[in-house]
Structure formats: structure tokens, C-alpha cells
Amino acid sequence: MGKKELKVAFLLALRSLQRGSRSSVILTILIIGMCFTNMIFLPGLFNGIGQSITKQVVDYEIGNVLVSPKSGDQYVSDLGATLSLINGMPGVERATPHFTKGATLKYRQRILGASVRAISPNDEKSISPLYTKMIAGSYLGQDDTGEVIIGKPVAGDASIRQEDEFQSSLGGVRVGDSITIDYGNGYVKDYRVKGIYFTGWSQADSAVYVTSTDMALVDPKAVDNADYITVKAKPGYSETFIKNELIQYGVSQKVQTTSDLLAKSMGRALQSFAIINMVSLIVSIIITTVVLFIVITIKTINSRRQIGILKAIGVDKEVIMHNYGFQVIILGVLGIILGIIVTLGLAAYMAIHPVVTPEWSATLYITPMDLLVNSVILFCAAVVAGYVPAYQVSREDIQTAMRA
Amino acid sequence: MIAITDLQKIYRMGDVEVRALDGVTLDIAKGEFLGIMGASGSGKTTLLHMLGLLDIPTSGGIEIDGTDVSLLNDHEKTMFRLYKLGYVFQDYALVPDLTVMENVSLPAMLRKDLTEKQYHDASIDILTKIGMLDRQDHLPRELSGGQQQRVSIARAIVNKPDILFADEPCANLDTENSRMVLDLFKEINEEMQQTIVMVSHEDWHKEYFHRIIRLQDGKVISDGTTGTKAH
Ligand SMILES: Nc1ncnc2c1ncn2[C@@H]1O[C@H](COP(=O)(O)OP(=O)(O)OP(=O)(O)O)[C@@H](O)[C@H]1O
Ligand SMILES: [Mg+2]
């Protein structure tokens, strides 16, 4: 095939699309576009959910790397030494301990169970964007005692009657109010609500935060012990790098990356996502292939006489085959472009209106690589679907074709 | 130039056997303007199809320019048609999706020995000659039968083929346009020693032919030169 042949094949393809049935061209492009969207939408949504869960777990729970007690121990002990060791390592943005106690909150007539998380506010700022999520009052100061910040669902809304609440709350706590925290074992303490926050991550929103300094007064173990240490990586450092580094430097606790933990806890869910993604991919490919096969087959059947004429005046069968090939390529490319536009439109819409559940919120997460890979897959399917009938019809002998 | 020996074409449809060509033997010289006449159904189109490599004979041989065409494969036949032959179909056979201009230049576009300018100029030239230049952007379905026939003629001769086969090229033309076409054929025949094989019904066309053969039931029943001289 030389340049001239390809040029003629392209001209024939273009003319056939221009002067053939307009509606069939538009419908074909539409179907390919929708198949593309279908191929990429669900995986993109699942990725978005995964990304959003990961981000919230990193932001509000455990950072990038979690250092937890080695088996048999209840706490990460020798806290001061371990923290300064970790904080001195390259690639570590900040490490900070969490100490959590279950407790009962009391406000007026309301009682609510919640976990009280003791943090070191200054360090926590380097790890978690919680301090940016205050909707009333302010964040904890480093050495605040007798002060607490609480999640919006914990604070509740005074205008909603208790029996109408979706999630139990303290029924409308406001900044400055006093709440009582009963830690059990007879340890009860009153706190002033310094701030109310809302993150969208239900685990964090249904907890309350006090400072480590305050917790040390409640439970002396909190001075040199932690339930776990969260470690935030500097940009450009991978979780695995930090994890290996920690182990190498002799951190004797259990060290896990967030990805490891999520893979363990969400393994089943990820597997189901993978199956759903695969099904939507295969269905899209099959629909595209079948539609294009039918469209091109009908085209070739309807233009058998034309094919005969072309051969009779000296147009080679390769040119005739590529004519249909080009038609499929043009339809496929236009369909894929439509699909990309629709997908990006959906992604833009969902960035503004994410899918929100009480547990997490998610947008469509699609990378340029996803677009590229799916385009290539769909394009290949289209080419195969078009060339098979094109190959068959281009081989027909002139007399049979011309009399058709 | 063309040597035909004992050519047979038998169409079988169920039990019925049609001998469309029944032992045609014929030599056509280079530069000859040959007329083929005969009643409807006598086998004229069938003979032209065989010579134009559009169909395969049941038996017998065709040699064109020293090439036994039965030995050519599909691709070689296509290239033979593209470079050596021009064909005017009885039913015009224009490509419906292409404009007049595109129909005429299509075969020329594929030729490796022609530049874009060359075939463009040649197409304009031939469309002017047949009086269809002002319709160059029209589609075949927007043309009358006679106009389509003229476009089909333009397409067949734009490449200046060594041999031109024309199957009743004037069937849908008035006398004036028929003369124009025949004069055009005569011109290229004289200028370029082009061989022309033309099927015709009209008696007055004889004055253009060097030689006329008559077919009847697939056989040659007469073969004779006319007063017109070959060059
Ligand atoms: N594809 C075919 N299948 C069966 N019979 C055919 C076929 N093509 C031609 N014939 C038969 O062969 C014979 C010769 O046909 P042909 O088309 O060569 O005639 P013709 O001389 O060109 O006639 P006309 O002047 O009407 O064009 C006819 O009897 C015709 O019915
Ligand atoms: Mg005929």
C-alpha cells in the first residue's frame, strides 16, 4: 500500500460517511461514545471511592505509616525515644502519637458513648487537616486542659427532637457549653467545648479530641504510652520507603503502611470492584465490536455494486478494504472523542456534586492514563470489527459484486 | 494486440444452459477502431466483459499485448485494468458517493506515473470536452442518463488507456452528443494509436469503425473492414 492508495481509500471512506446515511453515522458514534463512558465510569467511580477512603484514612486516622504495638503489647511504650527517632528520619514530615479512650459524654439530659482521642495539637497539624475543618469555635491549643473539640454529629442540632435523630447526639451543644466526660472507673471531668468540626469522615466526626496534656491528667499511662503513632511522609517519599526505613532504624514496633492496611481491610471490596470493572469493560467491548461489525457489514452489503465498480475501474481490493477500515477508524475516533467529552463532563459535574454517603464522599477519579488505555482498547476492538467484513467483501469477484 | 481463441462463456442456471459466447476467435490489431454489432442477447456485453478482464471465460484464451490474461492473479488483473484498459459500461457504473470530478479522476489518482496536477488537468480537460465541466461537483444521481454516460466515458479515457472498451456508449445520447463522443474516440484513436472496441446498435456509427464484426447467438457471423482506413 502506497501513499496514493491510502489517499484514495481515505477519500472513499470520507465520501461514504458524508454522503451515506447521516443518522446511522450519528447513532454509531453515539453508541461508541456511550460504550466508552460505560467502560470508564464504574472503574472511575470505584477508584474515586477508594481514593476518597484512602485520603480520609490518611488524613484523619493513621497518616501514611502506622506504628502500632508489637504483638503482646497493649501500647507503644517508650514514646519519647521512639518519636524522636522517627522524627529524625529523612522523608518523615512528622510523627505523632494517638491515645484513645472510650468514654460517655453527658450534656443536659443527653448521654452519648464516644471515643476520646488525645492528640498533640501542634504536631497533629502537620499530619491531619482536622484543624482546617472547624465550623465553630477554634482548634485545641498545645497545652489546653479542660477543653474539648467535638464533631458536628456529636454536637447535634437543638431543633431536631431526639426521637427524630438519624444518629444520636448530645442534642445541640454550642461552643462554650460545658460537657461532662465519664471515662469509667469513677473518673469524671467537665470540659468546655472549644470548637466544633466537620470532616465528612464519620469515624473522626463521631469522636471528640482533647490534648495529650489533658489526657495525662486523666490517665498517667498516656504520658509515655500511645495506642499508635501516625507518621506522615514528606511529598515525594513513598509509604513503603518510610516503612522500610523505620524498620531498618530499629523501630521495634509493628510498622504498616496505610496501603497495606487498606488492602487487608478492603480486600474483599476491592475484589468485587475488580469483577464489576471487568464485566463493564467486557460488555462495552462486545457491544462496540458487534455494533461496528453490523454497521460495516450492512454498509458493505449495500455497496456491493459500488465495490464491483471500483474493482472494475482498477481500484485494488486492498484500497477497498482500507476504505471500510478508515470508515471504522473515523467512527471509532469520533466515538471515543465523544466518550472522553462525556466522561470529563461527568467528572467535572461530580467534582462539584460528589456522591455523598454518611461514611465517605467520592468523585470520579480518572487519570489521563485511564482515558488512553480505554481509548486504545476500544479503538482496537473497532478496527477488528470493521476489517473483518471489509476483508471479506473486498475479495468478492467483480461480476457477483456488480450484479448485486 | 488482442488475440482471442475459441472463447466460450456458458451461463448455467439450474438445468438451463446459456451459451453467451460460443467459440469466438478474433484478432484485434493495435490502433484498430472495432465495432461490435448484433441483436440484443447476442453476447456483445459478455465478450467485452471477458476482454476487459471483468469475468472469466468458460474456455478459450485471451492474449492482450502478449500477456495470457488467464495467468494473471486478482491484483495483477486490477493493475492491468488500471494502467492499460478503459471501460465504458452499458449501465455507466459510476460510484454513487463520488462527485463527477471525483469519479473521473479516481482511476487517475491511483496511477503511480501521474502527479496530482497532471490528473487534475487531464480531468478538467476531458470534462470540458464532453461538456460536463459545469457539473463537476454534482453526484451521479443528480444527472440525467446521458450525462452519466458522458461522465462514464470521461472516466474511461482520462488515463489515455492503450485499449478502450465501450459498451454502447451512445445508447442514451442524442445525435449531436453521440457525434461529439465518436469524434472524441476518433481523435484519440488517430492521435495516440489507441485501440477501441465499441459495441453499437446504430447503423450510422459504421462510418467511424475501421472494421465491424457481427455476433449472433454467441458466434461471429461476419467480420469485415469498412471503407474507413486504419492508421
Ligand atoms: N450473468 C448471467 N447469467 C446468466 N445469463 C447471462 C448472464 N449474463 C448474460 N447472460 C445471457 O447471455 C446472453 C448474452 O448476453 P449479453 O449481455 O452479452 O448480450 P448483449 O449482446 O450485450 O445484449 P444487449 O444488446 O441487450 O446488451 C444473453 O442470453 C443473456 O441472457
Ligand atoms: Mg449488452
Side-chain angles (χ1 to χ4, degrees), chain B residues 9-222:
Chain B
K9 180 68 184 182
I10 300 167
Y11 291 111
R12 279 195 188 84
M13 295 191 298
D15 290 340
V16 190
E17 205 177 69
V18 180
R19 294 185 166 263
L21 288 178
D22 195 3
V24 173
T25 300
L26 199 64
D27 275 315
I28 303 168
K30 184 169 170 58
E32 200 162 40
F33 192 165
L34 176 73
I36 300 179
M37 305 188 97
S40 177
S42 56
K44 306 182 296 293
T45 297
T46 308
L47 177 60
L48 231 56
H49 274 165
M50 302 299 148
L51 298 180
L53 316 189
L54 302 175
D55 206 349
I56 299 163
T58 310
S59 70
I62 300 170
E63 230 179 67
I64 302 177
D65 246 357
T67 310
D68 178 354
V69 298
S70 68
L71 301 177
L72 300 177
N73 67 26
D74 195 60
H75 175 73
E76 287 164 337
K77 277 186 187 165
T78 305
M79 291 303 114
F80 203 90
R81 281 196 294 271
L82 181 63
Y83 284 88
K84 288 200 144 81
L85 310 182
Y87 203 106
V88 183
F89 295 88
Q90 195 168 1
D91 57 356
Y92 331 131
L94 296 176
V95 182
D97 289 340
L98 298 183
T99 62
V100 165
M101 185 63 179
E102 288 162 346
N103 259 292
V104 171
S105 16
L106 189 68
M109 287 172 79
L110 285 164
R111 297 253 310 224
K112 301 233 187 298
D113 51 352
L114 296 177
T115 66
E116 190 166 337
K117 186 173 161 36
Q118 276 173 330
Y119 71 67
H120 186 73
D121 290 351
S123 306
I124 297 272
D125 188 46
I126 194 72
L127 283 173
T128 312
K129 276 187 178 150
I130 60 154
M132 289 296 296
L133 190 65
D134 56 336
R135 298 303 193 105
Q136 60 168 312
D137 293 325
H138 286 238
L139 292 173
R141 60 169 168 274
E142 297 160 359
L143 303 178
S144 74
Q147 290 170 326
Q148 291 186 47
Q149 190 146 43
R150 280 184 277 159
V151 176
S152 170
I153 291 164
R155 180 181 64 187
I157 59 183
V158 66
N159 268 351
K160 305 201 165 62
D162 293 346
I163 307 167
L164 174 68
F165 298 107
D167 197 348
E168 302 200 27
C170 302
N172 271 297
L173 302 180
D174 53 30
T175 318
E176 195 184 334
N177 272 311
S178 299
R179 277 218 181 275
M180 184 264 292
V181 167
L182 286 165
D183 286 337
L184 193 60
F185 282 7
K186 189 176 167 199
E187 185 187 313
I188 52 182
N189 170 254
E190 286 174 359
E191 268 174 24
M192 305 161 51
Q193 288 290 293
Q194 198 177 36
T195 311
I196 301 180
V197 182
M198 171 171 155
V199 173
S200 165
H201 266 124
E202 299 280 338
D203 246 19
W204 66 270
H205 291 169
K206 283 182 192 164
E207 62 184 89
Y208 286 89
F209 302 146
H210 303 155
R211 176 183 166 200
I212 296 168
I213 63 158
R214 287 188 183 278
L215 288 183
Q216 190 181 319
D217 297 332
K219 292 190 175 76
V220 179
I221 52 162
S222 81

